[in-house]
Amino acid sequence: MGVAEKDKPIANPLIVLREEFDDWAILFDPDTGNAVGLNPVGVFIWKLLDGSHTAEDILKKLRESCRNVPEEVEDHLQDFIQSLVERGLAGYEAKKA
Amino acid sequence: MKLMSSPQSLDLDITNRCNLRCRYCSHFTSAGDVGQDLAKEEWLQFFEELNRCTVMNLCISGGEPFYRQDLPELMEGIVKNRMRFTILSNGTLITNEMAAFLASTHRCDGVQVSIDGSNPVTHDAFRGEGSFSRAMEGIEHLRRHRVSVPVRVTIHRENVHDLEGVARLLLEDLGLPSFCTNSASFMGLCRRNAEVQLSVSERSLAMESLLNLSKKYNGRISAMAGPLAEARNWLMMERARRERRESLPGGGYLTGCGGPMSKMAVRAEGVVVPCTQLNHMELGRINEDDLIEVWQNHPQLKRLRERGTIALCDFDFCTDCDYIPYCTGSCPALAYTILGKENHPSPDACLKRFLEEGGRLPDESLMNSSGNRH
Ligand code: SF4
Ligand code: SF4
């Protein structure tokens, strides 16, 4: 699956990212009370969901910052972003009509 | 337990005022009874800091939170700053409109209402005439708007014989999923109203009744403190001693309180303290001191967190006690109110002393029922 260039995901600003001392974090949705754990790579990605990075940009930054990034990371990244979008934790800016 | 980077939750005494004066209130006459309330603007400013610190939950207490006319605006501040909340209340001031408002926030995890009896006689004995019917009305309003109502029952001398009635009222008549219990303890007003606290024989009776009821209602009665929690804990310690087990988790050290690793509290005038019960320990002031700095570096808080390294065998109080490897010393706040020092096992939660004073543990078979296996 290729990375769609024009899509720049944005983290839902209502979601709280609680970072802990071990670089793991919790994503907390105050509207539902749900909290999910994020590993350090997930935190790195979350912080780039600012509406100005495509998935491809994020992939590039990930490869620059982390050693031994496996080949299949592209698919994992897409799945990760997709799962955030499905849970309402992230989205895409609505295009102007 | 690992230290969190910032408190995950805070307990806030949102007001020092209350419409009641319950004879065992842990707030009035304690160090938390500060005689003044912070202005709304100060709380709202503080909520913004809590948002930056990624605090998730607030527990709002007092005094009586619904005594504050501006409570809805404070709730809106909590919502705006991405937090959820629970409220601890006597229930008597909750109107239908207020319940509707709480429901509309979609952030309220529940309003804990105190019900201490199955009827006005036992409930009002120490809370004041009329409080039972008004608290029941408050519960009705909350349930009408589907706000969760985790009822708490404080056990004392006047209701210890009414526990079956209380369970029937709450679990059968009202159909609540569960309720929790504690007991009037040596804090606040209770210190000078000694007639309120359970005697040793009443405590034995309460432990047995509550284990029986918990069995009957399949575990729908819970407790973090008080006779039910003690019954479960002490029976476990007694079994471990009899089976000559090496230890129980946390046993042998003052590990009885994990609160300071994940939460802290603020008094009604804005002074930050480790816990609403350890409210004499002043750590700073909101909107003046940086909360994260206090949380991570305050020397008193650090010492409190190291309490778990203090061995029970070093206390004269525990000399020759067979329960040392299984005991955690319980709540530091009770140790403080009874002895004036928090780094000591709580005499009130001491199994050895309870037995020496003629206390009786319930039958162990009660612990094996499904309702009591937690
Ligand atoms: S126990 Fe609660 S309701 Fe009773 S006086 Fe204290 S704060 Fe008020
Ligand atoms: S004397 Fe009391 S507090 Fe000390 S270890 Fe024994 S039971 Fe625990």
Side-chain angles (χ1 to χ4, degrees):
Chain A
M1 190 167 69
V3 172
E5 274 202 37
K6 57 183 183 313
D7 290 331
K8 295 176 176 168
I10 310 178
N12 178 346
L14 264 181
I15 304 299
V16 179
L17 175 74
R18 248 191 86 81
E19 293 181 84
E20 292 302 343
F21 287 125
D22 55 7
D23 296 329
W24 281 65
I26 292 171
L27 282 184
F28 172 60
D29 182 345
D31 279 333
T32 60
N34 292 339
V36 288
L38 272 194
N39 66 22
V41 176
V43 176
F44 182 92
I45 296 167
W46 178 264
K47 288 181 174 173
L48 292 170
L49 302 182
D50 55 4
S52 61
H53 292 91
T54 62
E56 192 162 293
D57 298 332
I58 296 172
L59 192 60
K60 205 164 142 227
K61 285 197 182 283
L62 199 59
R63 289 209 158 105
E64 282 162 14
S65 316
C66 308
R67 266 174 289 144
N68 308 324
V69 176
E71 264 310 300
E72 60 277 17
V73 76
E74 185 174 326
D75 286 346
H76 290 324
L77 175 66
Q78 286 290 5
D79 291 348
F80 177 62
I81 293 175
Q82 188 55 32
S83 78
L84 292 175
V85 171
E86 277 163 15
R87 282 181 285 176
L89 303 174
Y92 296 97
E93 198 166 26
K95 290 201 180 68
K96 286 198 184 96
Chain B
M1 200 176 180
K2 271 201 301 196
L3 176 66
M4 296 183 171
S5 58
S6 65
Q8 193 169 63
S9 63
L10 266 90
D11 296 345
L12 309 182
D13 280 354
I14 210 87
T15 177
N16 193 58
R17 292 168 295 165
C18 183
N19 56 320
L20 305 181
R21 277 297 178 281
C22 307
R23 298 244 292 274
Y24 41 80
C25 172
S26 63
H27 174 77
F28 288 107
T29 73
S30 78
D33 181 6
V34 292
Q36 53 170 307
D37 282 2
L38 274 186
K40 175 184 75 190
E41 291 71 24
E42 289 221 54
W43 283 120
L44 294 177
Q45 185 186 336
F46 182 55
F47 294 160
E48 288 174 12
E49 183 178 9
L50 297 184
N51 185 357
R52 292 193 296 276
C53 297
T54 65
V55 170
M56 294 158 61
N57 300 296
L58 297 181
C59 177
I60 305 298
S61 61
E64 170 53 46
F66 292 101
Y67 203 90
R68 269 194 90 124
Q69 297 297 313
D70 56 7
L71 193 67
E73 291 156 82
L74 295 173
M75 305 287 105
E76 278 163 3
I78 294 171
V79 169
K80 193 171 146 209
N81 286 289
R82 306 189 301 173
M83 292 177 281
R84 297 184 70 80
F85 61 91
T86 48
I87 301 179
L88 312 187
S89 167
N90 63 36
T92 60
L93 301 176
I94 301 170
T95 59
N96 189 46
E97 294 69 44
M98 180 54 80
F101 173 79
L102 289 171
S104 75
T105 67
H106 302 293
R107 297 284 184 87
C108 179
D109 282 320
V111 179
Q112 181 187 281
V113 174
S114 297
I115 293 290
D116 294 349
S118 64
N119 56 67
V121 179
T122 43
H123 178 93
D124 293 356
F126 294 140
R127 288 191 176 266
E129 216 184 311
S131 48
F132 178 77
S133 57
R134 280 153 63 205
M136 293 296 282
E137 272 170 37
I139 291 177
E140 228 176 276
H141 293 318
L142 292 167
R143 297 185 80 207
R144 186 176 310 120
H145 294 281
R146 295 180 200 284
V147 176
S148 151
V149 191
V151 164
R152 184 180 62 187
V153 179
T154 301
I155 299 165
H156 51 66
R157 281 194 178 176
E158 292 293 326
N159 68 6
V160 66
H161 298 284
D162 184 29
L163 298 177
E164 213 176 321
V166 175
R168 198 179 318 114
L169 169 76
L170 299 175
L171 301 178
E172 293 183 32
D173 301 350
L174 290 185
L176 296 179
S178 61
F179 69 90
C180 74
T181 60
N182 68 358
S183 61
S185 53
F186 193 76
M187 291 179 169
L189 286 175
C190 198
R191 291 172 298 175
R192 61 179 192 213
N193 294 323
E195 76 282 4
V196 171
Q197 262 189 286
L198 298 177
S199 66
V200 170
S201 60
E202 287 162 339
R203 206 166 172 181
S204 305
L205 172 72
M207 289 200 292
E208 180 153 9
S209 310
L210 288 168
L211 278 184
N212 269 315
L213 287 167
S214 178
K215 181 179 173 187
K216 175 175 174 188
Y217 290 104
N218 215 3
R220 289 162 68 195
I221 308 176
S222 65
M224 299 290 284
L228 181 57
E230 279 154 2
R232 288 173 176 155
N233 188 31
W234 285 349
L235 281 173
M236 224 160 58
M237 286 167 66
E238 175 54 26
R239 185 187 294 171
R241 185 199 63 82
R242 213 181 46 240
E243 293 173 356
R244 296 178 193 281
R245 280 207 235 149
E246 207 173 306
S247 63
L248 285 178
Y253 295 87
L254 290 181
T255 56
C257 168
M261 305 303 268
S262 65
K263 59 190 240 175
M264 61 200 314
V266 181
R267 295 194 316 214
E269 92 292 36
V271 167
V272 180
V273 291
C275 154
T276 47
Q277 314 283 20
L278 280 171
N279 47 21
H280 63 286
M281 221 183 246
E282 301 184 356
L283 306 173
R285 176 172 274 280
I286 66 164
N287 303 333
E288 284 178 21
D289 296 297
D290 183 86
L291 192 77
I292 294 284
E293 177 61 25
V294 171
W295 172 256
Q296 292 185 1
N297 296 319
H298 198 288
Q300 259 183 301
L301 204 48
K302 281 187 171 173
R303 270 200 297 280
L304 197 59
R305 288 176 184 143
E306 283 157 11
R307 194 174 173 268
T309 62
I310 301 173
L312 291 171
C313 58
D314 290 342
F315 292 96
D316 290 345
F317 183 85
C318 300
T319 308
D320 296 333
C321 176
D322 291 342
Y323 297 108
I324 287 180
Y326 323 116
C327 178
T328 64
S330 193
C331 168
L334 256 181
Y336 177 80
T337 52
I338 295 169
L339 300 168
K341 43 188 169 192
E342 54 275 343
N343 282 341
H344 193 283
S346 161
D348 186 64
C350 172
L351 172 55
K352 180 169 170 257
R353 200 174 89 153
F354 172 74
L355 295 173
E356 280 169 1
E357 288 174 354
R360 214 171 10 86
L361 287 180
D363 194 309
E364 209 184 295
S365 63
L366 284 173
M367 275 283 274
N368 297 331
S369 65
S370 59
N372 287 318
R373 241 178 275 136
H374 46 75

